[in-house]
Amino acid sequence: MHTHKIAHKQNFKEFGDSKKFLAFLQSCGELKIIDEPLDIYLEIPHLAYLEVKKKYGKALLFTYPIDKKNNRSFDIPVLMNVFGSFSRLDSIVQRPIAEITESIQSLLKFAPKKDLKSKFLQLKELFALRKVFPKYHRFGMPPCQERIQSTPDLYELPILTTWPGDIAPFITMGQVYTQSLDGTQKNLGMYRLQVYDKSHLGLHWQIHKDSNHFFHQYKKAGKKMPVSIALGGDPLYIWCAQAPLPLGIYELLLYGFLRGKNPRVCKCLTNELYIPTDVDIVIEGFVDPQRMELEGPFGDHTGFYTSQEPYPVLEVSAITMKNSPIFPASVVGKPPLEDKYMGYLTERIFLPLLQSTTHGLLDYHMPENGVFHNLIFAKIAPEYPAHAMQLMHAFWGVGQMSFVKHAIFVDWDAPDLQDYESLAHYILNRFSTDNLLISEGVCDALDHASPNFAVGGKLGVCAIGKEITRSSLILHSDSELLTLVEQKFGFVKDLKQYCIATINPLCMLAVQKSDTSLKELIQAVALGELARALRIVFLLDFAKNDLHNPYMLTWRIVNSIDAKRDIWVQENVVFVDASDKAAMDNHYRQWPKETDCSPEVIQKLRELGLLEDIHDGFLKFFQIESSSR
Ligand SMILES: Cc1cc2nc3c(=O)[nH]c(=O)nc-3n(C[C@H](O)[C@H](O)[C@H](O)COP(=O)(O)O)c2cc1C
């Protein structure tokens, strides 16, 4: 278990200035400064990508970003991987996470106390709530408006192109401030922003997100929508921006709650929005709701490129900044990356909120290699029949939790949800085809496996109750089983079994696909004796998967299936087709490419001596080495 050494070494509550935060990171040995001139096109992001995957990777400050193609250099350093370890996460939050969840719980379960001491503590808690509300900056120049660009020019900012297939540079850590048409509701969200030209940005707020709901109000009213994007300042703003609070609850209030300090905000120069005074850079503007442009492709946090879709466009009306700003950025792609740590904090802090609508929920966990919404484990204290199913539907029915594709529910006596090996054994010893729920619903806009955009299959597994003891399984070694499988299915090239000590071992089959769907080929054959040797079978493309790498196999499987189409039970064997899909599989959307580094850029970084501690094995299987809590 991680201890909170860094966070409590010193109190630095006033690090609203990102420079103070940098100095703090440096004093803890958590910051690496790279003075080498490096290109904003791939070089900076590739180095940050590899760094965050190391066990003790650091935050990186690139002091000399350049744009080789356009022969430019920037006087604004780029800061990356700020959230990229548990120790840095703690130093940003500054309070033990358990303490935060306790105080949220106590607010949610508010009940008048009887004894004087408890009454006093309760009053103190309530009194502290006055700190959540933003305070308005009234006098003097706010720091974020010290410098004002005479003509707004996004190309003066070191905006990165992360992946070779990205269509353009993207802002990846922008705090996007919006408000409802009548101004009564405010929102802070984090959505990537594509640079179209020096004064236009694509706003990738997906269809289910809060700012998009506001956008519809402006569209209906035929009015331009003000949008301001802030970069930098207190890193906690960034986490708050991605926090999935319900529509109408302003994320800056969460900031005030977590910091115990009122956020200070000032009015933007060219629109009516307010942004925190201490941010490094502000991009102000308006969205014309009549104008939509194609956005993407962009290598996303699923580890795949998202394809082009129409999104609104921000016309920039002003760019302001501090006198010496710092530009924050993040790399998203195959896990684990910085969002692992941000996601962990989200998961912990939102548990008490989730529990308020899901009676019986004890804990939940979304592993980072399930790219969060693709896989969730939930531990419950069941009280009545179908309790687990009720909670699955609750998850699938509300807010961003509805993006969850695969939900595995376990009983109160299950191992810790992060002890994956013990948990897998617990689940598989209770797994039965009778306890599978396949449903359909809302999908994340990024999901590429669903046959239709943002609508797809859901899988619920109920591993509740006692172990199932009876089993007619005949266990074979991997090589024996491969021979048996090959006799029936010539397209199988390799095989590996996992969890063979359970009554439902997992069998990974590496397959070579032809022009017929795997489901059709398998369903055409009677399994016969083979059905007694197989329980749960995963079909994976031979060329793309390493059967010895369960971390990435999990990533692949939960990313690449649509439960309704790709899971079937045949002679009591569960088949899961996790291969790439195409028209032969009744999948008519384009299957996306994966986010992989450019070999030339890696070679260049190696020649510069910047990858001395990175060996080829790390590049291939790096995911195993990231820090764990
Ligand atoms: C690094 C990072 C990048 C993100 N990019 C996007 C994005 O481009 N579009 C989007 O809709 N959500 C994106 N998200 C997720 C949203 O920030 C998250 O869903 C948030 O809760 C949205 O806020 P809202 O509910 O106020 O709309 C991103 C999250 C992270 C951590």
Side-chain angles (χ1 to χ4, degrees):
M1 188 74 178
H2 178 76
T3 52
H4 301 274
K5 255 186 247 152
I6 289 189
H8 306 295
K9 229 194 253 177
Q10 103 189 50
N11 181 4
F12 56 100
K13 270 203 166 157
E14 292 306 322
F15 67 45
D17 184 342
S18 35
K19 291 242 168 64
K20 284 188 192 150
F21 178 62
L22 282 184
F24 172 76
L25 285 182
Q26 209 171 3
S27 71
C28 313
E30 287 271 338
L31 181 72
K32 204 193 278 181
I33 298 180
I34 309 224
D35 292 324
E36 195 82 35
L38 284 181
D39 203 342
I40 52 170
Y41 177 76
L42 304 186
E43 287 180 3
I44 289 178
H46 276 21
L47 196 57
Y49 177 73
L50 296 175
E51 181 73 18
V52 77
K53 287 176 182 293
K54 291 183 197 164
K55 191 158 191 169
Y56 298 108
K58 296 190 175 14
L60 299 180
L61 183 72
F62 297 91
T63 58
Y64 197 167
I66 54 171
D67 173 0
K68 280 191 196 153
K69 195 168 118 212
N70 297 302
N71 201 18
R72 275 173 183 255
S73 65
F74 303 88
D75 62 352
I76 305 177
V78 177
L79 177 61
M80 301 191 74
N81 297 348
V82 162
F83 285 88
S85 74
F86 285 118
S87 54
R88 291 203 289 286
L89 183 73
D90 286 343
S91 62
I92 289 168
V93 180
Q94 297 189 27
R95 280 168 68 191
I97 295 171
E99 187 190 295
I100 299 171
T101 47
E102 267 166 38
S103 62
I104 295 176
Q105 247 153 3
S106 108
L107 282 171
L108 289 171
K109 290 184 185 156
F110 189 82
K113 300 282 187 259
K114 291 206 173 82
D115 66 292
L116 206 61
K117 193 177 162 209
S118 314
K119 266 188 185 153
F120 177 74
L121 286 175
Q122 196 168 49
L123 272 177
K124 217 174 127 195
E125 245 170 32
L126 287 179
F127 193 57
L129 285 183
R130 76 196 190 287
K131 301 273 185 184
V132 304
F133 300 103
K135 276 203 168 160
Y136 296 94
H137 176 96
R138 296 204 192 279
F139 305 107
M141 166 102 64
C144 63
Q145 291 171 353
E146 283 166 352
R147 256 165 79 180
I148 302 168
Q149 280 189 353
S150 48
T151 314
D153 185 354
L154 292 163
Y155 293 124
E156 284 184 15
L157 304 177
I159 304 176
L160 308 177
T161 304
T162 313
W163 296 110
D166 286 0
I167 191 145
F170 285 82
I171 295 175
T172 47
M173 276 196 154
Q175 308 153 35
V176 181
Y177 291 84
T178 52
Q179 66 182 22
S180 59
L181 182 65
D182 62 8
T184 56
Q185 293 186 327
K186 298 194 190 312
N187 193 67
L188 162 59
M190 186 148 90
Y191 322 108
R192 71 176 187 238
L193 305 140
Q194 176 180 332
V195 179
Y196 288 123
D197 58 42
K198 67 178 192 168
S199 58
H200 291 93
L201 286 170
L203 284 164
H204 185 257
W205 52 52
Q206 295 151 8
I207 51 169
H208 310 106
K209 304 298 172 75
D210 292 352
S211 298
N212 194 48
H213 302 324
F214 292 164
F215 172 76
H216 283 296
Q217 298 175 355
Y218 288 88
K219 193 170 176 180
K220 212 167 156 197
K223 289 201 171 150
K224 285 196 175 178
M225 173 177 178
V227 177
S228 289
I229 294 139
L231 292 153
D234 185 338
L236 194 62
Y237 296 134
I238 295 173
W239 179 81
C240 290
Q242 60 80 62
L245 282 175
L247 178 67
I249 304 187
Y250 189 23
E251 286 75 5
L252 265 196
L253 304 181
L254 178 61
Y255 173 89
F257 175 78
L258 295 174
R259 272 282 174 267
K261 170 181 118 171
N262 303 92
R264 296 223 152 242
V265 294
C266 61
K267 195 180 159 300
C268 289
L269 297 181
T270 56
N271 66 27
E272 58 266 47
L273 299 174
Y274 284 76
I275 30 95
T277 53
D278 59 350
V279 294
D280 287 69
I281 301 167
V282 185
I283 302 167
E284 306 176 4
F286 291 89
V287 168
D288 175 354
Q290 301 311 321
R291 180 176 171 193
M292 302 284 272
E293 293 285 339
L294 285 179
E295 197 268 3
F298 171 79
D300 219 312
H301 84 115
T302 53
F304 291 84
Y305 286 91
T306 32
S307 51
Q308 289 192 320
E309 299 284 346
Y311 276 93
V313 179
L314 178 78
E315 177 152 13
V316 179
S317 49
I319 298 182
T320 73
M321 58 191 86
K322 284 180 174 166
N323 275 331
S324 42
I326 291 169
F327 183 90
S330 184
V331 179
V332 291
K334 292 182 192 176
L337 291 174
E338 200 173 8
D339 56 357
K340 157 180 173 162
Y341 307 95
M342 297 169 88
Y344 173 81
L345 182 59
T346 309
E347 179 190 285
R348 291 300 91 200
I349 288 188
F350 277 74
L351 174 62
L353 296 170
L354 198 58
Q355 281 170 323
S356 68
T357 53
T358 48
H359 169 73
L361 179 72
L362 300 175
D363 196 9
Y364 78 114
H365 173 55
M366 302 168 100
E368 86 263 6
N369 52 337
V371 298
F372 307 108
H373 53 262
N374 282 346
L375 181 61
I376 188 170
F377 299 122
K379 191 186 275 194
I380 65 168
E383 285 178 9
Y384 38 79
H387 194 159
M389 264 195 268
Q390 181 194 37
L391 298 193
M392 282 172 195
H393 288 296
F395 280 7
W396 292 331
V398 178
Q400 293 186 42
M401 205 46 127
S402 60
F403 303 155
V404 163
K405 289 209 305 181
H406 310 111
I408 303 184
F409 274 62
V410 294
D411 223 321
W412 64 271
D413 62 348
D416 186 288
L417 299 181
Q418 293 184 56
D419 178 356
Y420 299 138
E421 206 170 318
S422 311
L423 188 65
H425 281 72
Y426 181 97
I427 294 166
L428 292 171
N429 281 332
R430 287 162 181 79
F431 179 88
S432 148
T433 50
D434 298 336
N435 296 332
L436 291 185
L437 172 67
I438 295 200
S439 180
E440 198 176 14
V442 162
C443 264
D444 189 291
L446 300 183
D447 185 63
H448 57 264
S450 56
N452 298 303
F453 173 70
V455 186
K458 308 274 187 190
L459 170 72
V461 175
C462 188
I464 303 278
K466 290 204 166 46
E467 280 194 8
I468 298 168
T469 44
R470 248 170 357 107
S471 165
S472 55
L473 178 79
I474 299 173
L475 198 62
H476 293 279
S477 70
D478 285 355
S479 58
E480 281 166 6
L481 189 57
L482 179 59
T483 310
L484 289 176
V485 172
E486 275 173 333
Q487 283 165 4
K488 291 237 182 235
F489 304 113
F491 52 82
V492 173
K493 300 291 156 210
D494 199 3
L495 176 153
K496 176 154 175 57
Q497 297 176 93
Y498 285 93
C499 304
I500 51 171
T502 72
I503 62 158
N504 284 295
L506 306 175
C507 178
M508 307 288 160
L509 296 184
V511 301
Q512 194 93 54
K513 264 180 112 165
S514 62
D515 51 5
T516 313
S517 87
L518 295 167
K519 191 174 182 176
E520 210 178 311
L521 292 173
I522 293 172
Q523 286 185 333
V525 173
L527 298 177
E529 273 301 292
L530 198 54
R532 298 181 61 201
L534 297 172
R535 283 293 173 267
I536 306 174
V537 178
F538 295 93
L539 306 159
L540 296 139
D541 289 305
F542 178 65
K544 291 196 167 183
N545 294 285
D546 171 10
L547 295 192
H548 295 268
N549 188 339
Y551 181 100
M552 285 317 272
L553 289 178
T554 308
W555 167 79
R556 171 82 60 191
I557 291 165
V558 293
N559 240 316
S560 297
I561 62 169
D562 177 78
K564 230 179 140 185
R565 182 194 55 212
D566 300 327
I567 299 179
W568 71 97
V569 181
Q570 188 176 335
E571 295 174 52
N572 216 26
V573 179
V574 180
F575 285 90
V576 182
D577 180 359
S579 65
D580 292 4
K581 307 296 180 318
M584 66 175 126
D585 307 292
N586 292 324
H587 185 88
Y588 299 99
R589 301 166 69 201
Q590 197 185 9
W591 198 261
K593 288 206 174 83
E594 291 171 32
T595 54
D596 290 315
C597 291
S598 148
E600 295 77 32
V601 173
I602 296 291
Q603 181 57 25
K604 167 79 198 303
L605 294 172
R606 212 182 267 297
E607 282 162 16
L608 289 171
L610 294 167
L611 296 185
E612 268 159 8
D613 48 353
I614 302 231
H615 48 85
D616 287 343
F618 180 81
L619 279 178
K620 205 168 173 196
F621 305 122
F622 38 65
Q623 66 285 342
I624 311 160
E625 298 202 19
S626 95
S627 72
S628 55
R629 197 174 266 265

